[in-house]
Amino acid sequence: MKKTSIKDIAKLSGVSIATVSRVINNNGRFSEETRKKILDVIEETGYQMNFSAKSLRMNKSFSVGILVPDISNYFFSDVVQKIEEELFELGYSTIICNTGRNIEKETAYLNMLRSKLVDGIIVISGVDEFVFHYDDIPYICIDREPLKKEKTIFISSNHYQGAFEATESLINNGCKHPAILMYDRQSSSAKERFKGYKDALKKNNISYNESSHLLLSGLEENFTENLQAFLERTDQVDSFFAVNDTLAMKLFSSLKELGEKIPEDFKIIGFDDSPLAHYSSPTLSSVKQNTDKIAQLTVKNLIDFISSGKIINYQTILVPVELVVRNSSLNN
Amino acid sequence: MKKTSIKDIAKLSGVSIATVSRVINNNGRFSEETRKKILDVIEETGYQMNFSAKSLRMNKSFSVGILVPDISNYFFSDVVQKIEEELFELGYSTIICNTGRNIEKETAYLNMLRSKLVDGIIVISGVDEFVFHYDDIPYICIDREPLKKEKTIFISSNHYQGAFEATESLINNGCKHPAILMYDRQSSSAKERFKGYKDALKKNNISYNESSHLLLSGLEENFTENLQAFLERTDQVDSFFAVNDTLAMKLFSSLKELGEKIPEDFKIIGFDDSPLAHYSSPTLSSVKQNTDKIAQLTVKNLIDFISSGKIINYQTILVPVELVVRNSSLNN
DNA sequence: TTGTACGCGTTATCAT
DNA sequence: ATGATAACGCGTACAA
């Protein structure tokens, strides 16, 4: 059985296609009588508009694409989920694209999205600088500084502020030598956090020294050995600002392996305020990103962009973060 | 500037639309010469097929929808990510729909997906029994037992096996009274786990008694008090099988609050083998679901279903799970 | 207030 | 091997 189309509705209602269309979209004029009749028939038949036809006709797909490095990461899944919710309310569906930080997959996705006539694209984070090839499709960057910052909208947490406050909080709790633990790869957010960390040191008259302050690492197996070597090389270290909660937890388990106690021997602050932070022992101090705000701003700006056809005002929006202090960075 | 269409390509190549279409889709015959020419022009103009037109014509959208309760849950995001990857390889894009366990949102999404002519739908979990209203669109259920099991494909971890092994592992490690901690809501997977737990008790001659074996809970604030009351009511409890890792972590922190030690005073095993399990202290024993396998089976079956237009063989596929023993359930 | 007719970009059928 | 053309479902300019 074929699906009912607008033509069927017209026939069943005894009116023309045009009238049905007008009623459905509530534009043009029509009598209350015909409106009722048509709506009845629609109800009855379970008619649903064909999006492909509508898209083709209107050159608009009512869907937006989201490029995200890794949906199983807490911060990403959290923002994506919230964005998706807001967009759904507005009648948009969301095509989520996991790029796995792979530049080719990113490009392939971008092409597919364009091909599908998505009305807009949201790009979340990623390692490399982002070159957007198409100038005919609205997009917004979250957490990843675009190349032509002055020609786009860029929304991000204030990573600098978060790192600064975290570091200073360690210092205020008596730490003399806070180290920073971060990944090898350099996202724009990581850079900001690094800057915030260093500036906090500087403000408190602690001179930064790469070999004794910076521990680069991934989640590799031999992390504990790296950590041990680092601690031996620079035995004044008394605390860590970890660039995210996962790294902080890695630190937890490795330090414990080495027989160290948290927070007695080492104080630690993480970033993201993921569920990990609530359940670890000790509970983990962490910088909380305001994903609600980020999602809301993103959707609003994108939709404005889409419907006006141009960016109202190019801008960089920095969303404040909040340091949540728990046991891992407290005295006693 | 308008986007280049197949018509433009035809004009620029000096051939007809039909020929261009044939070259693009590699069907019908054409000379190598014209093929080259057309491909050149396509390359040059950066032409991209219009999916809306193609969908309209072919009545196929090259996209599938995924209904998922909560993408920020580890297991869900993990499967979804893997499914999305496989589908992408096959030229499908994935529309992810967060239902938040809300039945109305679920229905709304279902309608939207149908409206967008998705070629198939994947339904992951959820609390209620699932009634699929449309019989004209292929779908597969993961982790949520569909109502008409004999008329669909149902793919799920062997929750029963996992719970059974987890419980028996506790018993083999000397536990005399393993309790189960689970949510209030009753998903089909929860029911299976519950059954596995009870059967393991039975096999080991431990008689199950609701008030001293079953602790129902969410993540509410007063969990610690509930736990305390439970432990006082039934002071033989020496271990817990938690129905997922998040609950297990909640147990960790509440037990510690009560001054209890893990695994000395209580042994604990969780479910999902989420990252939490690796980083907690002690590390958490947990049942690992084979998300790779689940994703792979799901995509294969769905694609078969889509391309053949019918289900080859209705079936329920149970994917084995694996108990990963860590410190939280070991002696010493 | 309502109807007619065209076009969106593509694929597929039927000619040539 | 290639071209002309109908059809997919919808919105809208124009006519009535």
Side-chain angles (χ1 to χ4, degrees):
Chain A
M1 192 189 81
K2 243 172 80 306
K3 253 200 297 225
T4 59
S5 79
I6 201 172
K7 200 187 289 183
D8 305 321
I9 304 297
K11 198 166 293 176
L12 289 171
S13 315
V15 298
S16 77
I17 296 180
T19 306
V20 177
S21 174
R22 276 189 285 258
V23 167
I24 289 175
N25 299 299
N26 241 321
N27 65 17
R29 306 196 87 62
F30 39 81
S31 74
E32 177 58 20
E33 191 176 14
T34 52
R35 199 188 69 92
K36 263 238 157 62
K37 177 64 186 162
I38 290 173
L39 256 36
D40 277 355
V41 176
I42 287 179
E43 173 77 20
E44 196 175 308
T45 54
Y47 162 78
Q48 284 180 259
M49 171 207 34
N50 181 323
F51 256 103
S52 300
K54 185 174 188 149
S55 295
L56 178 59
R57 179 63 232 257
M58 302 185 56
N59 200 32
K60 187 166 168 24
S61 66
F62 306 96
S63 53
V64 326
I66 300 190
L67 254 50
V68 52
D70 169 18
I71 196 80
S72 67
N73 170 103
Y74 175 72
F75 170 70
F76 295 145
S77 70
D78 201 30
V79 212
V80 166
Q81 178 157 355
K82 283 165 181 166
I83 289 177
E84 189 263 0
E85 259 167 48
E86 298 228 12
L87 284 174
F88 177 69
E89 296 300 326
L90 299 172
Y92 285 85
S93 55
T94 306
I95 300 179
I96 297 175
C97 311
N98 252 285
T99 63
R101 298 195 168 77
N102 174 339
I103 187 76
E104 286 133 37
K105 231 186 144 189
E106 198 166 272
T107 309
Y109 264 126
L110 241 23
N111 286 335
M112 180 196 245
L113 290 177
R114 184 182 153 87
S115 207
K116 293 222 167 168
L117 296 180
V118 291
D119 301 323
I121 295 181
I122 296 170
V123 182
I124 306 182
S125 198
V127 181
D128 305 281
E129 277 163 333
F130 181 57
V131 190
F132 204 82
H133 305 278
Y134 309 122
D135 51 354
D136 57 351
I137 168 165
Y139 73 100
I140 287 188
C141 291
I142 302 181
D143 209 59
R144 173 205 290 214
E145 191 158 332
L147 214 50
K148 309 169 292 180
K149 209 164 123 185
E150 67 288 351
K151 304 210 66 178
T152 45
I153 297 178
F154 170 47
I155 298 176
S156 168
S157 282
N158 193 333
H159 300 291
Y160 177 90
Q161 173 219 339
F164 190 97
E165 286 183 17
T167 309
E168 195 153 51
S169 160
L170 289 171
I171 295 171
N172 290 340
N173 270 342
C175 297
K176 303 293 180 203
H177 193 119
I180 183 171
L181 171 60
M182 55 194 298
Y183 289 112
D184 216 339
R185 59 181 132 88
Q186 288 284 351
S187 57
S188 65
S189 58
K191 282 181 204 151
E192 284 301 304
R193 291 179 197 177
F194 192 34
K195 263 198 343 212
Y197 161 78
K198 284 201 290 190
D199 281 3
L201 293 190
K202 188 182 294 176
K203 183 189 162 197
N204 289 274
N205 301 313
I206 303 179
S207 68
Y208 170 81
N209 164 296
E210 182 159 317
S211 85
S212 77
H213 282 89
L214 171 65
L215 179 52
L216 283 180
S217 171
L219 296 169
E220 65 276 357
E221 282 311 310
N222 62 346
F223 176 74
T224 307
E225 287 84 63
N226 290 352
L227 176 62
Q228 188 165 27
F230 178 75
L231 291 179
E232 278 166 10
R233 189 165 76 234
T234 149
D235 62 354
Q236 324 95 306
V237 172
D238 53 13
S239 52
F240 283 93
F241 166 54
V243 98
N244 73 25
D245 285 353
T246 309
L247 277 182
M249 295 316 288
K250 196 73 192 165
L251 211 43
F252 267 39
S253 72
S254 288
L255 283 173
K256 281 179 197 160
E257 252 182 74
L258 298 176
E260 308 287 356
K261 282 191 167 21
I262 305 166
E264 292 83 351
D265 303 329
F266 291 92
K267 302 202 196 316
I268 296 179
I269 298 185
F271 212 107
D272 283 353
D273 197 40
S274 68
L276 291 163
H278 300 78
Y279 300 133
S280 63
S281 57
T283 53
L284 174 66
S285 300
S286 191
V287 178
K288 184 185 179 64
Q289 302 195 48
N290 192 340
T291 48
D292 284 305
K293 190 85 180 175
I294 292 176
Q296 178 218 311
L297 284 170
T298 303
V299 171
K300 185 187 179 328
N301 277 281
L302 185 63
I303 297 300
D304 283 354
F305 192 170
I306 289 174
S307 47
S308 74
K310 60 180 197 298
I311 299 185
I312 318 266
N313 47 351
Y314 305 102
Q315 53 180 335
T316 294
I317 304 179
L318 246 40
V319 179
V321 296
E322 178 197 0
L323 174 63
V324 181
V325 176
R326 296 201 183 82
N327 293 327
S328 68
S329 69
L330 286 179
N331 289 312
N332 310 347
Chain B
M1 192 188 80
K2 241 171 84 300
K3 250 199 297 225
T4 58
S5 79
I6 200 173
K7 201 186 290 184
D8 304 322
I9 303 297
K11 198 165 296 176
L12 288 171
S13 316
V15 296
S16 76
I17 296 179
T19 306
V20 176
S21 175
R22 276 189 285 259
V23 167
I24 289 175
N25 299 298
N26 239 322
N27 64 18
R29 306 195 87 61
F30 39 80
S31 74
E32 178 58 21
E33 190 178 15
T34 52
R35 199 188 69 92
K36 263 239 157 63
K37 176 66 187 161
I38 291 174
L39 256 36
D40 277 356
V41 176
I42 287 179
E43 171 77 20
E44 196 175 308
T45 54
Y47 161 80
Q48 284 181 259
M49 170 209 32
N50 182 323
F51 255 104
S52 300
K54 185 176 189 151
S55 294
L56 177 59
R57 179 60 231 246
M58 301 185 58
N59 200 34
K60 187 163 169 24
S61 66
F62 306 95
S63 54
V64 326
I66 300 190
L67 255 49
V68 53
D70 169 17
I71 195 80
S72 67
N73 171 102
Y74 174 72
F75 170 69
F76 295 145
S77 67
D78 201 30
V79 211
V80 166
Q81 178 156 358
K82 283 165 180 167
I83 289 177
E84 190 262 0
E85 258 166 48
E86 298 229 10
L87 283 174
F88 177 69
E89 296 300 326
L90 298 172
Y92 285 85
S93 55
T94 306
I95 300 180
I96 298 175
C97 310
N98 252 283
T99 63
R101 298 195 169 76
N102 175 338
I103 186 77
E104 286 134 39
K105 229 185 146 191
E106 200 166 271
T107 310
Y109 264 126
L110 241 22
N111 287 335
M112 181 196 244
L113 290 177
R114 185 181 151 86
S115 208
K116 293 222 167 169
L117 296 181
V118 291
D119 302 321
I121 295 181
I122 296 170
V123 182
I124 305 183
S125 198
V127 182
D128 306 278
E129 277 163 331
F130 181 58
V131 190
F132 203 82
H133 305 278
Y134 310 121
D135 50 354
D136 56 352
I137 166 167
Y139 74 101
I140 286 189
C141 291
I142 301 183
D143 209 59
R144 173 204 289 215
E145 191 158 331
L147 214 51
K148 311 168 291 178
K149 209 164 119 182
E150 66 289 352
K151 306 209 66 181
T152 44
I153 296 178
F154 171 48
I155 297 175
S156 168
S157 282
N158 193 333
H159 300 291
Y160 176 91
Q161 173 219 338
F164 190 97
E165 287 182 16
T167 310
E168 197 154 48
S169 159
L170 289 171
I171 297 172
N172 290 341
N173 271 342
C175 298
K176 303 291 180 202
H177 193 120
I180 183 170
L181 170 60
M182 56 196 298
Y183 290 112
D184 217 341
R185 60 181 130 88
Q186 288 284 352
S187 57
S188 65
S189 58
K191 283 181 202 151
E192 285 301 305
R193 292 179 195 178
F194 193 34
K195 266 203 333 217
Y197 161 78
K198 284 202 289 191
D199 281 3
L201 293 190
K202 187 182 295 176
K203 183 188 163 199
N204 289 275
N205 301 312
I206 303 179
S207 68
Y208 170 81
N209 165 295
E210 181 159 318
S211 84
S212 78
H213 282 88
L214 173 63
L215 179 52
L216 283 181
S217 171
L219 297 170
E220 65 276 356
E221 282 310 310
N222 62 345
F223 175 74
T224 306
E225 288 84 62
N226 290 352
L227 176 62
Q228 188 165 29
F230 179 74
L231 291 178
E232 279 167 8
R233 187 164 80 234
T234 150
D235 63 355
Q236 324 95 305
V237 172
D238 53 12
S239 52
F240 284 93
F241 165 55
V243 98
N244 73 26
D245 286 353
T246 310
L247 278 182
M249 294 318 287
K250 193 75 192 165
L251 210 43
F252 267 38
S253 73
S254 288
L255 282 174
K256 281 180 197 163
E257 251 182 73
L258 298 175
E260 307 288 356
K261 281 192 167 21
I262 305 166
E264 291 82 352
D265 303 328
F266 291 92
K267 301 201 195 321
I268 296 180
I269 298 186
F271 213 108
D272 282 354
D273 196 39
S274 66
L276 291 163
H278 299 78
Y279 300 132
S280 63
S281 56
T283 52
L284 174 66
S285 301
S286 190
V287 178
K288 183 183 180 63
Q289 302 196 49
N290 191 339
T291 48
D292 284 303
K293 189 87 181 173
I294 293 178
Q296 177 219 312
L297 284 170
T298 303
V299 171
K300 183 187 178 333
N301 277 281
L302 185 62
I303 297 300
D304 283 354
F305 192 171
I306 289 174
S307 48
S308 74
K310 59 178 198 299
I311 299 185
I312 318 267
N313 49 349
Y314 307 101
Q315 54 179 335
T316 294
I317 304 179
L318 248 40
V319 179
V321 297
E322 178 196 0
L323 174 63
V324 181
V325 177
R326 296 200 183 81
N327 293 328
S328 68
S329 69
L330 286 180
N331 288 310
N332 311 346

